[in-house]
Amino acid sequence: MPNSLPVIVGFGGYSAAGRSSSHQAFRRMILETLPAEEQVNTVVSLACLMAQVTKEGETYRDQQGAELSAAEVDQQFRQQVLDGTLIRKIELFDPANIPGHKKISFTDSPDQAVQFNMLKRDLPKVPPQSWQVRDLEDGNVEVTATGSSQYLIESPYELIAKAAGQLPSGFNPSDHYNSRFHPRSLQMALLGASDAVHSIGIPWDKIAASVAPDEVGVYSSSALSQMTEEGFGGLLQARLRGGRTTAKQVPLGLNSMPADFVNAYVLGSVGHTEAITGACASFLYVLQAAVRDIRSGRRRVAILGNAEAGVTPEISEGFANMSALGSDENLCKLDGTDTPDWRRASRPFGHNCGFTLSEATQYIVLMDDALAIELGADIHGAVPEVFINADGVKKSISAPGVGNYISFSKAVAAAISIVGEDSVTKHSFVHAHGSSTPANRTTESHLIEQVAIAFDIYDWPITATKSYVGHSLSTASGDQLVSALGTFKYQTIPGIKTITEVAPDVAQERLRFPLQDLDVSGNKMDVAFINSKGFGGNNATALVLSPTKVEEMLAVRYADQFNQYLDLRKVTRAAAAEYAVQADAAQLDVIYRFGEPLIEEAGVTISTEGVHIPGFARDVTFSRENPWQDMQQSAAAVQAQLDPLCVPD
């Protein structure tokens, strides 16, 4: 079908606010605004995820085995849930005691000769030339080092920024499947993609059987690769720490591995795969690729997203040396205190001093609208367009530039052409990049203000998810998108609650920055704009339509099938609700297909019509259409045109 609409039929993942599917993480962000019963359900589900309690039937048990009701879980563990989610002091390691080394030197002086004993077996294969080694008893040697020499001695150091957005306390992705040797970000990719697939409410096998194998695409990456011990982090550190590299660190460290893991271990897909990065805008880069392919008809199903485990000492120190992070010292200066307020470290559009690093994984599942109608998928929104533009010549690779003016204004213009001016000017909101740096608060607010002036928009609501979960690098705009889906569901825009006032240098004439949750039930949102700015000039803006608006559009396109679709959707919603109950009990049912029978290559058959792959309901078929047919003529016609030109004088 021409002009297929890419609709969101599933979403999942994990951030500092919790699990994305069934809006658990969104409910954590607007917890105090929710009705009392829904607050209890949210706290209890997070307590399960954080391994504070387990659920058996309708009964909960604490770590000592005592039976508890949901109300008792809420009463006993609410504060732990609140303290163990969102931005907080780093828990993954001790940020005040990072293992490190100090280089020391000894000069060439007889009075400063260094002498020590050690085991002979620990001698380096090639000892330094300045060492004189003498054998002792019991396998020891005496080493005398003369002349100039250098040594590394253990010397712990302290991070200047100790706040981060981390997965909820007590939630360890590796506990939920056999994760041996997997870097943390790949563990998160498996869990996030599994959550998204389960959230659809339609078995993956049924979806896969409904399309050709090459009509499925996976679009995923990590901007900084896998920098923990099991990936590039361990690879680069091993020899300097006196260790050895492993056979897995290079392949598992590649930034394309999230896509590879989803293909191999979640879906078992042989379809299209694409790993794109655009710094902090990477999620919108993979989203654009998926939207492009679904709109063109090349793909009918797309699983897309990112996973980033960026809370490591090295990455933190690197960003801190760029003066990009909000340091403890500067947070104290902002507040006039001696103790940093880590909970409020990220302060978009307020008085701020830098961004807050975080980790997250977010995945969504797109279908073309025809397949969604056919299968009875529950539609949570649609992404008709994503725009990406660079900055041109830059004075600094990390400085903002003009590209975002293009991407953002094109998104607004596209929205008006699709859903009309009224939906955009009166019923839209913006999920800003909102990184919490002084440069961002002025430049991004100014560009949004200029767009508002151009399209005659007033009182435009602007929110910033990073105030809750921090900056998860490649996954950041995924955090924004799933939050926008939450707004469509609950008709609440999360306030920027970490600031007490909007900074005076922020443009505000046409914009509205709510500092508390904003109820928009009386002015329901039709459109969300997801904006992202990445180092190097990676600017991207996505246009997202609400499920209500999408349903209105599809009811027109599929008038004859729509009632049947609504009946099928009831079944889908019931299945998705069953998974939500299970997942709220932290029974995540992570899909990990390692060890399943492989596709037998001997069973693959190729013909002039296509390729048959064992185990797949449909074949890959070859297209016979020539897209350049208008450029070709018969050989006789070409020769007839050339013959007069070839007559000799």
Side-chain angles (χ1 to χ4, degrees):
M1 175 184 292
N3 299 317
S4 294
L5 180 64
V7 295
I8 301 170
V9 299
F11 62 96
Y14 298 87
S15 70
R19 194 186 76 252
S20 300
S21 69
S22 68
H23 304 289
Q24 183 196 67
F26 182 80
R27 286 183 276 119
R28 169 62 185 94
M29 290 192 284
I30 63 165
L31 187 67
E32 58 269 35
T33 304
L34 294 172
E37 182 179 358
E38 200 149 12
Q39 287 190 37
V40 171
N41 292 339
T42 302
V43 170
V44 171
S45 68
L46 283 166
C48 290
L49 187 69
M50 296 163 67
Q52 297 295 330
V53 296
T54 57
K55 188 178 182 184
E56 300 172 5
E58 297 302 315
T59 302
Y60 297 92
R61 293 185 183 275
D62 64 17
Q63 294 174 341
Q64 287 71 45
E67 290 190 9
L68 301 170
S69 66
E72 290 171 329
V73 172
D74 175 60
Q75 183 178 13
Q76 293 186 31
F77 294 100
R78 177 176 283 233
Q79 194 58 49
Q80 287 179 247
V81 166
L82 297 181
D83 293 343
T85 49
L86 306 185
I87 293 172
R88 55 199 188 276
K89 185 180 180 181
I90 293 175
E91 302 166 350
L92 295 169
F93 49 84
D94 183 356
N97 189 30
I98 306 296
H101 289 88
K102 168 72 174 175
K103 183 186 293 184
I104 61 173
S105 301
F106 290 93
T107 59
D108 186 6
S109 171
D111 297 334
Q112 291 187 333
V114 178
Q115 190 174 80
F116 53 89
N117 294 352
M118 63 182 294
L119 291 173
K120 187 173 184 178
R121 68 168 181 262
D122 289 339
L123 279 171
K125 291 183 178 180
V126 183
Q129 292 182 352
S130 62
W131 281 18
Q132 298 174 14
V133 180
R134 183 171 68 88
D135 287 330
L136 302 175
E137 297 179 353
D138 301 325
N140 289 302
V141 295
E142 179 187 83
V143 177
T144 302
T146 60
S148 298
S149 55
Q150 292 184 337
Y151 297 89
L152 293 177
I153 62 170
E154 291 185 3
S155 178
Y157 65 97
E158 184 175 356
L159 294 183
I160 69 168
K162 299 184 186 65
Q166 301 151 98
L167 300 186
S169 302
F171 171 52
N172 188 349
S174 64
D175 293 340
H176 293 271
Y177 79 104
N178 185 13
S179 60
R180 192 180 181 193
F181 301 124
H182 292 173
R184 183 174 175 86
S185 55
L186 297 185
Q187 297 172 16
M188 291 161 57
L190 284 176
L191 266 67
S194 294
D195 188 40
V197 169
H198 285 314
S199 77
I200 302 171
I202 302 172
W204 176 253
D205 288 347
K206 180 178 180 179
I207 296 172
S210 303
V211 298
D214 60 339
E215 290 179 324
V216 176
V218 171
Y219 308 76
S220 185
S221 63
S222 53
L224 290 180
S225 304
Q226 282 58 252
M227 295 303 294
T228 48
E229 172 69 25
E230 300 82 3
F232 283 163
L235 175 78
L236 299 175
Q237 295 173 359
R239 285 295 183 182
L240 291 175
R241 294 189 308 178
R244 296 176 57 192
T245 59
T246 73
K248 297 181 181 293
Q249 286 168 326
V250 168
L252 294 186
L254 297 173
N255 74 336
S256 58
M257 273 295 126
D260 300 337
F261 262 52
V262 173
N263 276 315
Y265 299 138
V266 178
L267 306 178
S269 174
V270 298
H272 179 74
T273 182
E274 195 163 339
I276 315 170
T277 56
C280 307
S282 291
F283 184 91
L284 293 189
Y285 276 57
V286 296
L287 177 60
Q288 188 200 53
V291 167
R292 172 201 69 208
D293 284 356
I294 286 183
R295 286 189 55 172
S296 70
R298 285 179 176 270
R299 241 57 68 198
R300 304 202 66 193
V301 185
I303 294 85
L304 65 104
N306 301 86
E308 198 87 69
V311 184
T312 71
E314 297 81 7
I315 293 174
S316 177
E317 189 175 17
F319 281 123
N321 288 338
M322 296 169 58
S323 299
L325 294 187
S327 69
D328 291 3
E329 180 182 1
N330 286 335
L331 287 174
C332 289
K333 288 180 180 178
L334 285 177
D335 296 336
T337 64
D338 296 327
T339 304
D341 188 348
W342 290 308
R343 299 289 289 182
R344 296 177 54 242
S346 179
R347 306 178 186 187
F349 302 109
H351 297 279
N352 52 37
C353 58
F355 77 80
T356 301
L357 198 60
S358 73
E359 60 179 357
T361 175
Q362 301 293 356
Y363 283 84
I364 68 170
V365 182
L366 295 178
M367 283 184 184
D368 68 46
D369 54 309
L371 182 62
I373 293 293
E374 175 190 334
L375 297 179
D378 193 8
I379 295 171
H380 306 282
V383 187
E385 292 278 13
V386 182
F387 298 99
I388 295 172
N389 291 92
D391 284 336
V393 177
K394 298 175 71 73
K395 65 178 181 180
S396 166
I397 201 66
S398 60
V402 301
N404 206 190
Y405 285 82
I406 304 171
S407 68
F408 202 104
S409 56
K410 287 176 72 174
V412 175
I416 290 174
S417 68
I418 296 170
V419 297
E421 187 174 346
D422 189 70
S423 285
V424 174
T425 59
K426 299 178 182 178
H427 303 280
S428 73
F429 68 107
V430 177
H431 257 282
H433 181 66
S435 65
S436 186
T437 65
N440 172 264
R441 77 184 184 220
T442 57
T443 57
E444 189 174 19
S445 65
H446 182 268
L447 84 86
I448 299 174
E449 177 98 341
Q450 293 304 303
V451 172
I453 292 171
F455 292 96
D456 200 25
I457 302 173
Y458 286 88
D459 206 27
W460 209 359
I462 314 294
T463 188
T465 308
K466 292 180 181 68
S467 63
Y468 295 92
V469 299
H471 193 339
S472 56
L473 306 176
S474 69
T475 314
S477 36
D479 294 333
Q480 295 166 251
L481 177 55
V482 297
S483 179
L485 299 182
T487 290
F488 292 145
K489 171 72 174 179
Y490 290 90
Q491 290 303 311
T492 300
I493 297 175
I496 306 174
K497 302 170 193 170
T498 56
I499 65 175
T500 56
E501 63 178 356
V502 178
D505 54 359
V506 171
Q508 300 181 63
E509 183 179 345
R510 300 285 188 111
L511 312 182
R512 180 181 183 184
F513 296 88
L515 306 189
Q516 297 300 321
D517 296 336
L518 179 62
D519 181 2
V520 292
S521 57
N523 183 38
K524 291 190 174 181
M525 294 294 106
D526 292 335
V527 179
F529 296 101
I530 311 299
N531 197 47
S532 190
K533 301 164 75 70
F535 285 153
N538 295 284
N539 306 284
T541 310
L543 157 61
V544 185
L545 305 182
S546 74
T548 302
K549 183 57 65 174
V550 175
E551 189 168 318
E552 291 174 5
M553 295 167 64
L554 297 184
V556 174
R557 174 173 276 186
Y558 299 98
D560 295 338
Q561 302 170 245
F562 206 69
N563 287 335
Q564 181 182 1
Y565 161 72
L566 294 178
D567 289 337
L568 289 172
R569 189 178 68 177
K570 292 177 183 177
V571 178
T572 301
R573 286 182 169 178
E578 287 182 13
Y579 168 68
V581 171
Q582 173 187 319
D584 278 349
Q587 298 164 11
L588 305 181
D589 191 21
V590 176
I591 305 170
Y592 183 48
R593 303 180 66 170
F594 180 80
E596 290 188 11
L598 305 180
I599 299 172
E600 292 293 337
E601 294 184 30
V604 175
T605 56
I606 305 173
S607 70
T608 57
E609 301 300 318
V611 182
H612 171 74
I613 306 168
F616 286 83
R618 301 191 181 193
D619 292 345
V620 175
T621 57
F622 301 145
S623 173
R624 295 297 184 183
E625 180 182 349
N626 179 3
W628 296 282
Q629 188 170 1
D630 62 328
M631 299 169 62
Q632 295 182 329
Q633 299 177 9
S634 68
V638 172
Q639 192 60 47
Q641 292 177 350
L642 293 177
D643 281 347
L645 303 177
C646 299
V647 177
D649 293 338

